[in-house]
Amino acid sequence: MPSVSLSPHPGSSALAENDAPGVAPELSIVMPCLNEAETLRACIGKAQEGIAAAGIAAEIIIADNGSTDGSQALAASLGARVVPVSRRGYGSALMGGIEAARGQYILMGDADDSYDFREVPNFMAKLREGFELVQGCRLPSGGGTVRAGAMPAMHRWWGNPMFSWMARVWFRAPIHDVYCGMRAFTRDFYLSLDQRCTGMEFATEMMIKSSLRRARIAEVPITLHPDGRTAHPPHLRTFRDGWRTLRFFLMYSPRWLYLFPGLALTTLGLIGYAVAMPQLRINGLRFDVHTLLFASLSIIAGYQSVLFGVFTKTFAVSEGLLPRDDRLARWVNERSLAWALVLGVLSMVTGLALLGHAVWVWYSVHFGDLEYARTLRSVIPGVTFTTLGFQTVLSSFFLGILALRRR
């Protein structure tokens, strides 16, 4: 990523020292920027105060994403290093800025003056304790503070707490504010995450991957201030970004997207078979072939969902999107897939036998009218077993391909 190193602002001794040849800063503060001329002066000034308070060698990087309001020249005049990032997107800007950073530690935060960069010492203290990721927390549940007018009510009381709770439950993330964009991490740890998202999901991806890898994560209470911009509205969009977050959560959790719903549908279908095959009557309700039909639909759909969960997890692990899962590895191996192939064939044979019986019954009445309430009790399970077996046979081969490792 190309970068432009610019002379420091007079009076900024920490920055001037860092720009000396051969001197690497301990900390790099990275701010993504898209037309933030209104607030850059305040952000850079507070960052310089935070650096001085921490007593560290540091640099300030403005990752500019194509500003047209003079943000680049302003940042340069204040002593920051400007890194042009041509590919649009919040994540792209941060990737470009972090790639150009020279510090052992990196602190990222928005350039809209909603985050107070004078809190640098609190983040540095946790990093020096050995934490790999230090997440800021703006919400009171994690000790943070939200100033009046700093966060929309829906975000504060519903969206952010809900997604943060989901992150804790689904991914065991030890945080209370999943959306907080002010966080610090070690450079080596960041490189190990192999970030992919170029949009607003960048921060969420970092938290999910860190949690799945059981990284050492700390949370630091911070104060969120009202957005200092007046020339243009915030870049966030409530419902669009909420949906994108939910979609991203689901993509990174095959269990919640595929496995658990699939198991629930399969269980419901098996219960349907349990009451319909013996034609049970419960509280005056009689369960028969129609129940069998609905139950078969539930089993087939549920089994397909479970298979998609296995496919997705296998692919994600092989591509490095998710960490290795030993339980999955025990299931997806050559021996297990061979047994799955055998079971699939047996299921197909069973289903075809039941269908053959139905054809024989039809033959016995000279292909005339049938007593459907009786013959469907063979046809419906026959179709179900045949379908499940066929899916299993194809899936065993597909999983074998997905499980192949690149050399």
Side-chain angles (χ1 to χ4, degrees), residues 20 94 123 126 150 189 197 211 232 247 326 361 377 391:
L94 283 169
F123 287 87
K126 290 296 182 181
F189 176 67
C197 293
S211 301
H232 61 83
R247 178 175 175 269
D326 292 333
V361 171
R377 300 176 69 77
Q391 288 179 326

Side-chain angles (χ1 to χ4, degrees), residues 46-337:
K46 290 176 182 178
Q48 291 170 344
E49 291 180 41
I51 292 168
I56 57 175
E59 65 178 352
I60 300 173
I61 294 177
I62 302 301
D64 187 73
N65 213 194
S67 297
T68 57
D69 65 347
S71 293
Q72 303 93 327
L74 176 61
S77 70
L78 295 171
R81 188 155 64 98
V82 178
V83 176
V85 182
S86 58
R87 185 175 183 180
R88 283 300 184 95
Y90 174 76
S92 294
L94 283 169
M95 287 179 184
I98 294 171
E99 183 178 343
R102 298 176 294 167
Q104 173 189 357
Y105 303 118
I106 296 167
L107 185 145
M108 57 177 261
D110 298 343
D112 59 6
D113 201 24
S114 59
Y115 296 124
D116 189 345
F117 288 95
R118 288 173 294 195
E119 299 185 74
V120 165
N122 298 330
F123 287 87
M124 284 300 303
K126 290 296 182 181
L127 289 170
R128 286 172 171 168
E129 288 178 22
F131 290 99
E132 296 168 299
L133 174 63
V134 183
Q135 171 80 2
C137 181
R138 306 163 296 179
L139 300 182
S141 58
T145 303
V146 179
R147 293 286 177 85
M151 185 182 294
M154 182 175 289
H155 294 195
R156 180 175 181 178
W157 302 112
W158 175 248
N160 205 333
M162 178 187 69
F163 283 119
S164 298
W165 174 83
M166 289 173 64
R168 292 194 298 274
V169 173
W170 288 19
F171 308 106
R172 301 181 186 177
I175 50 91
H176 296 82
D177 185 4
V178 71
Y179 274 127
C180 184
M182 189 175 188
R183 59 186 65 178
F185 41 86
T186 68
R187 181 178 181 82
D188 290 342
F189 176 67
Y190 168 79
L191 293 175
S192 72
L193 293 178
D194 187 23
Q195 293 277 131
R196 308 287 183 92
C197 293
T198 59
M200 57 82 62
E201 298 91 346
F202 177 91
T204 307
E205 178 191 12
M206 178 181 291
M207 179 53 62
I208 290 176
K209 283 185 171 180
S210 301
S211 301
L212 291 174
R213 286 164 170 75
R214 301 294 177 258
R216 295 187 298 279
I217 303 173
E219 195 170 48
V220 171
I222 65 171
T223 299
L224 181 70
H225 300 266
D227 190 328
R229 297 169 299 190
T230 60
H232 61 83
H235 300 301
L236 291 176
R237 298 292 182 269
T238 298
F239 294 104
R240 180 202 64 181
D241 294 337
W243 159 243
R244 288 170 65 178
T245 300
L246 176 60
R247 178 175 175 269
F248 191 79
F249 271 35
L250 290 170
M251 288 194 303
Y252 262 85
S253 183
R255 289 181 304 168
W256 290 94
L257 179 58
Y258 300 112
L259 182 61
F260 292 158
L263 291 175
L265 284 171
T266 303
T267 301
L268 187 61
L270 292 174
I271 293 173
Y273 262 74
V275 299
M277 288 302 290
Q279 298 175 287
L280 294 182
R281 187 182 295 272
I282 302 175
N283 292 331
L285 299 176
R286 185 184 179 189
F287 298 92
D288 206 335
V289 291
H290 290 87
T291 304
L292 278 181
L293 193 59
F294 278 84
S296 290
L297 173 62
S298 185
I299 290 173
I300 292 171
Y303 185 61
Q304 186 70 68
S305 182
V306 170
L307 288 177
F308 265 93
V310 177
F311 296 157
T312 302
K313 187 67 176 286
T314 303
F315 174 79
V317 170
S318 67
E319 288 294 313
L321 298 173
L322 293 175
R324 175 182 168 83
D325 189 325
D326 292 333
R327 292 174 298 178
L328 179 67
R330 287 194 295 269
W331 280 95
V332 183
N333 56 58
E334 187 174 346
R335 184 177 180 181
S336 298
L337 294 179

